[in-house]
């Protein structure tokens, strides 16, 4: 008799799951037993021969069903509040409830801050940060209502997608870095707000070669010996499966970096120094006497950004 799979009986949403990282995550959740709503914004098109082709989300859902799993597709834009509502409603109406939400959908519009247009800023913040909020809002409302009905905690897992661009301060991605930093704030706030309902919320910073990041990782060649690419999305999806599972009940409000066979737990910021005014408030001269020498001994390029995370690799 085979043992039950970790996610047996659970339902999940994965956004941006038509390709790349989201696709790998949707396939992993299904492999672990979850019934999946595969979300990606895109309509059916035509292939190179002119034949009609399914939308990417529909193709992934079909792939899951062909492997014996349960999956439906949703082609809505999660940055649209009402389409995000429809996504959560689809999961609940199809599977009876929602248990897992994986927020992955995103776009890139890279440019230096002095060259970036308003549209490039707004579109990235809208898809990443607002998209994460929209789905989280409706999923949280669902779990809160269920908890009130049952009079106790329910099962809920949120896995959000941040980025090393936020941690390290990516100079050419001010919109993306800002949105990904906002997602961490959304995650920690959500983790505290929903803990009493039995829901956890965590964020990952994945490094993966996908259609969205092909220019970012253009200088990193795939292995020629047939081994798994260190930047393959399949290095990330097992962590998502774990965070979605009952085994991760004690993991909440955390940020983890994951890629190439490695997971790193990022520690929360800590206070490095504190200065107190001699009287009720500071004067300019007093701050100058305290802060100027303090920063004079710091390396010139050392900021709040943690650029060392970019050097993390499997030992």
């Amino acid at each position: 008799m085979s043992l039950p799979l970790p996610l047996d009986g659970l339902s999940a949403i994965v956004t941006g799951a038509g390709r790349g990282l989201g696709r790998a995550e949707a396939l992993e959740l299904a492999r672990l037993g979850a019934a999946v709503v595969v979300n990606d914004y895109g309509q059916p098109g035509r292939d190179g021969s002119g034949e009609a082709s399914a939308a990417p989300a529909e193709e992934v859902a079909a792939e899951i069903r062909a492997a014996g799993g349960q999956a439906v597709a949703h082609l809505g834009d999660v940055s649209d509040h009402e389409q995000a509502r429809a996504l959560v409603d689809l999961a609940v109406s199809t599977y009876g409830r929602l248990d897992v939400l994986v927020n992955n959908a995103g776009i890139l519009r890279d440019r230096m801050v002095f060259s970036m247009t308003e549209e490039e800023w707004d579109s990235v913040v809208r898809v990443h940060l607002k998209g994460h909020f929209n789905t989280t809002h409706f999923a949280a409302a669902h779990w809160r209502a269920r908890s009130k009905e049952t009079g106790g905690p329910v099962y809920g897992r949120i896995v959000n997608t941040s980025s090393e661009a936020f941690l390290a301060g990516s100079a050419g991605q001010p919109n993306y870095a800002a949105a990904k930093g906002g997602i961490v704030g959304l995650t920690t706030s959500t983790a505290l707000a929903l803990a009493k309902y039995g829901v956890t919320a965590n964020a990952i910073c994945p490094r993966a070669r996908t259609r969205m990041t092909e220019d970012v990782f253009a200088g990193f060649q795939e292995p020629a010996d047939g081994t798994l690419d260190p930047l393959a999305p399949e290095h990330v999806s097992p962590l998502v499966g774990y965070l979605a599972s009952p085994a991760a009940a004690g993991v909440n409000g955390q940020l983890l970096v994951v890629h190439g066979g490695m997971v790193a737990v990022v520690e929360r910021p800590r206070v490095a120094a504190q200065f107190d005014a001699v009287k009720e408030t500071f004067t300019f001269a007093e701050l100058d006497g305290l802060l100027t020498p303090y920063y004079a001994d710091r390396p010139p390029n050392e900021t709040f950004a943690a650029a060392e995370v970019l050097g993390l690799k499997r030992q």
Side-chain angles (χ1 to χ4, degrees):
M1 182 176 179
S2 59
L3 294 173
L5 295 170
L7 303 185
D8 263 351
L10 302 180
S11 68
I13 288 171
V14 183
T15 71
R19 300 179 179 88
L21 190 55
R23 173 183 174 273
E25 292 167 347
L27 293 175
E28 177 70 4
L29 295 185
R31 189 186 70 80
L32 294 176
V36 184
V37 178
V38 181
N39 161 266
D40 208 336
Y41 184 49
Q43 300 301 316
R46 297 196 174 277
D47 59 23
S49 65
E51 294 293 323
S53 61
E58 294 172 331
E59 292 179 344
V60 175
E63 187 176 354
I64 290 171
R65 292 193 298 268
Q70 300 180 68
V72 295
H74 179 269
L75 309 185
D77 177 2
V78 294
S79 70
D80 181 286
H81 203 60
E82 289 307 309
Q83 292 185 53
R85 182 201 300 271
L87 171 59
V88 173
D89 286 349
L90 176 61
V92 175
S93 63
T94 304
Y95 301 122
R97 68 183 196 183
L98 173 65
D99 301 294
V100 177
L101 170 63
V102 179
N103 283 310
N104 169 75
I107 61 172
L108 288 180
R109 299 291 186 270
D110 293 352
R111 203 176 299 273
M112 300 296 284
V113 69
F114 43 77
S115 302
M116 183 163 288
T117 67
E118 182 181 15
E119 191 281 330
E120 288 167 340
W121 173 272
D122 287 349
S123 62
V124 167
V125 172
R126 183 182 69 251
V127 174
H128 287 273
L129 185 52
K130 188 185 178 188
H132 273 59
F133 162 74
N134 285 344
T135 54
T136 296
H137 167 77
F138 292 112
H142 168 71
W143 288 319
R144 180 171 178 264
R146 276 177 49 202
S147 178
K148 287 190 171 186
E149 288 174 5
T150 61
V154 298
Y155 190 97
R157 299 284 187 269
I158 299 173
V159 183
N160 288 333
T161 306
S162 184
S163 171
E164 292 169 298
F166 147 67
L167 287 171
S170 179
Q173 297 179 304
N175 48 3
Y176 184 70
K180 291 304 192 181
I183 286 168
V184 174
L186 173 64
T187 303
T188 53
S189 174
T190 302
L192 291 174
L194 300 187
K196 65 181 179 180
Y197 302 117
V199 178
T200 67
N202 295 286
I204 62 171
C205 294
R207 192 185 301 180
R209 192 193 309 275
T210 67
R211 189 178 67 160
M212 190 180 84
T213 62
E214 59 186 355
D215 291 337
V216 176
F217 296 124
F220 297 85
Q221 298 300 315
E222 296 186 43
D225 58 3
T227 57
L228 185 63
D229 183 359
L231 293 172
E234 288 75 17
H235 287 296
V236 176
S237 53
L239 176 62
V240 173
Y242 166 75
L243 292 173
S245 76
V251 185
N252 194 28
Q254 301 300 308
L255 179 64
L256 303 100
V257 176
V258 54
H259 58 81
M262 179 219 73
V263 173
V265 177
V266 179
E267 191 174 35
R268 64 179 177 84
R270 297 185 181 275
V271 177
Q274 178 179 330
F275 303 97
D276 298 319
V278 174
K279 297 184 179 180
E280 185 177 3
T281 189
F282 280 109
T283 65
F284 175 88
E286 192 178 0
L287 288 169
D288 183 27
L290 291 169
L291 294 179
T292 301
Y294 175 78
Y295 281 105
D297 296 332
R298 302 281 289 273
N301 293 322
E302 183 178 292
T303 71
F304 186 75
E308 61 271 19
V309 299
L310 297 180
L312 289 172
K313 60 181 181 180
R314 184 168 179 262
Q315 302 298 312

